[in-house]
Structure formats: C-alpha cells, structure tokens
Amino acid sequence: MRDCVRKSLNALADLVWPRTCAVEACGRPVDRPQRHICSACFAALPFHEPGGACRVCGTPVPAKTTHAFVCEACATRPPPYARTCSALDYEGTLEEMVKNFKYNRASWLTEDFADLLEGVVRAQLDSSAVDAVFPVPLHPNRQRTRGYNQAALLARALARRLGRRCDEKSLARVRDTPKQSLLGRDERLQNLKGAFSAVRPSFVRGRTILLIDDVTTTGSTLAAAAEPLRDAGAARIWCATLARAPHDS
Ligand SMILES: [Zn+2]
Ligand SMILES: [Zn+2]
C-alpha cells in the first residue's frame, strides 16, 4: 500500500515538475517512470559486449571469442573471484554521469544505474545462487569526506531487486590508500595490499557473494576486496560493475 502511494505521488510529481534527461546534450523530458535517463539515451548507452572478454576478470581480448574464454593471466594465477561482468564501457556521456554520481552526490541516478547492473547480472550470472550483495567499501575517512559510498547505493538497489541481503558490514576497508586512478597497474596492486578485511567471517563462510563497484579498470580493487572474502571461506565470489574503463585510462 505504501509503495502504491509513493508511486502515485511520484507520478504526480512527474506531471508537475517533468524531469529533464540526465544526459546533458539531450534536453528531452524523461519518459521512463521514476528514472532520470530518457529511453532514447538509455538505449544509446555504450553497452559492454560480453563476448571478446575473459569470463573471469573481464579484460577485453583482441578478437571475438566464445563465452567461456579465460585469459592467460587468470589461467596461470586465478584471481580470488570467479567471474566479473560489467554493464557498460566507461566512456563519453556515461563518464560524466558516473563522476557526478560518485563525487557530486547525484544519487538520483541510482535506479537508472541499478537497471543496468540488474540487466547484466541476470544475463551473465546465476542471480538465484547469490546469498548476499557486498559493496566495495570505502575507508571510513573517505566516506566521511564524501558523505556516502556510491558502490553501496548500487549494491542496495541491486540487492532489493534480486531479493537478497545487502551486507555493508562484513567487509571493511581498513587502510586508507592513495587514489587508484593516479597509479599504474603494478602500483595499484601494491597500493591495495591489506587494504580490505573480512571483519565478520561468519557472514562470509560458505556464501556466494556478489561484489559490487561502480567502475573497474584493471580489476585490482575487486581482487583486493575479494581476497579476504576468499580467505574467510566464501563459497564463490562474483563481481559486477556498472562500467569497465580501458586499462590505459
Ligand atoms: Zn535523453
Ligand atoms: Zn582474465
């Protein structure tokens, strides 16, 4: 009932204050209920092609491959997670929107982004096997400065849609590290050593965990966050991100 009232109020608000599409160059009113990206711009987003990427780490490979391709790095030294999937390529308009979502409190984009995450998770993973959805946590210092964790907004919305628990307490970022985006691949790995800890191992052991972040580049943050979960006895760790950025960005 409460949901019904909320929906009616939202529909009324849409009539009184029609929303303009979040894609700056668009300018059209939004035609998707309770969303902020219009259907034309949503369909034109840079959807990530699942073929042509390693099924474990998601790194693109030059030629189109079958769905079961595993890259050499993952074959020789398997990362602590079993799968990674991303909804979009991190480029153009999307980059602007994600930066606003991440740094400028554009939390109103959560449901639009959750639509994309839900789509890729349902298409590429067995979502019914997921026990809990974990956001990649921020260090408390950074969370205090920023005021929120954008990965947690996505994880909460996705968990609700999948009918699963969003667990924001069992994995913690225990070391504050310099910004990953300023570093190269090897420095990223070094920078993240021991940055995360599974602080409630009983909530991890034997579980299938879906780890959520907004953007992945080299996968080093996902690997560093997944490692203590694997060590605490997680049955399976899968990762899903809104977007994948090219390695050299
Ligand atoms: Zn639009
Ligand atoms: Zn790989």
Side-chain angles (χ1 to χ4, degrees):
M1 183 65 194
R2 196 182 290 169
D3 239 30
C4 182
V5 172
R6 189 172 51 84
K7 276 191 183 143
S8 310
L9 285 174
N10 282 338
L12 186 68
D14 283 355
L15 279 177
V16 182
W17 303 285
R19 284 162 286 113
T20 305
C21 178
V23 175
E24 223 171 70
C26 170
R28 281 175 286 225
V30 180
D31 53 353
R32 299 166 62 243
Q34 275 104 65
R35 298 295 186 269
H36 291 83
I37 301 173
C38 79
S39 56
C41 290
F42 191 86
L45 285 169
F47 284 91
H48 188 69
E49 290 277 340
C54 168
R55 82 189 299 266
V56 178
C57 68
T59 299
V61 289
K64 280 256 180 240
T65 52
T66 63
H67 211 59
F69 178 82
V70 175
C71 77
E72 208 181 314
C74 290
T76 45
R77 269 186 43 190
Y81 50 77
R83 296 287 307 273
T84 311
C85 58
S86 301
L88 304 168
D89 288 320
Y90 191 55
E91 59 178 44
T93 329
L94 177 75
E95 210 173 318
E96 253 344 279
M97 286 195 287
V98 170
K99 279 186 183 148
N100 278 331
F101 179 63
K102 197 164 176 166
Y103 303 114
N104 299 332
R105 297 176 179 266
S107 56
W108 37 271
L109 283 166
T110 304
E111 294 303 322
D112 291 87
F113 287 167
D115 289 342
L116 294 154
L117 260 180
E118 183 187 3
V120 76
V121 165
R122 287 195 191 276
Q124 293 193 33
L125 304 172
D126 176 11
S127 55
S128 64
V130 171
D131 293 308
V133 181
F134 281 43
V136 169
L138 288 179
H139 188 272
N141 290 349
R142 190 151 318 157
Q143 176 135 356
R144 235 184 334 266
T145 329
R146 199 178 291 175
Y148 64 106
N149 174 4
Q150 75 286 351
L153 297 181
L154 295 174
R156 276 178 224 148
L158 181 67
R160 199 176 59 240
R161 288 149 179 251
L162 300 179
R164 292 295 180 274
R165 196 165 46 87
C166 178
D167 186 334
E168 299 178 46
K169 293 197 172 137
S170 299
L171 178 67
R173 196 158 189 150
V174 289
R175 208 159 54 73
D176 206 0
T177 51
K179 254 183 146 182
Q180 285 289 97
S181 51
L182 306 174
L183 306 171
R185 190 192 175 99
D186 291 344
E187 289 170 310
R188 284 174 189 237
L189 287 170
Q190 205 49 42
N191 181 39
L192 287 165
K193 267 210 167 341
F196 297 92
S197 171
V199 287
R200 297 197 308 183
S202 61
F203 283 78
V204 172
R205 200 170 306 125
R207 305 275 159 90
T208 294
I209 291 168
L210 178 58
L211 191 59
I212 300 296
D213 209 355
D214 51 354
V215 180
T216 182
T217 304
T218 61
S220 46
T221 303
L222 293 172
E227 196 170 83
L229 298 176
R230 179 199 58 192
D231 294 348
R236 275 179 297 196
I237 304 157
W238 294 332
C239 308
T241 69
L242 177 64
R244 167 170 284 274
H247 270 200
D248 51 358
S249 76

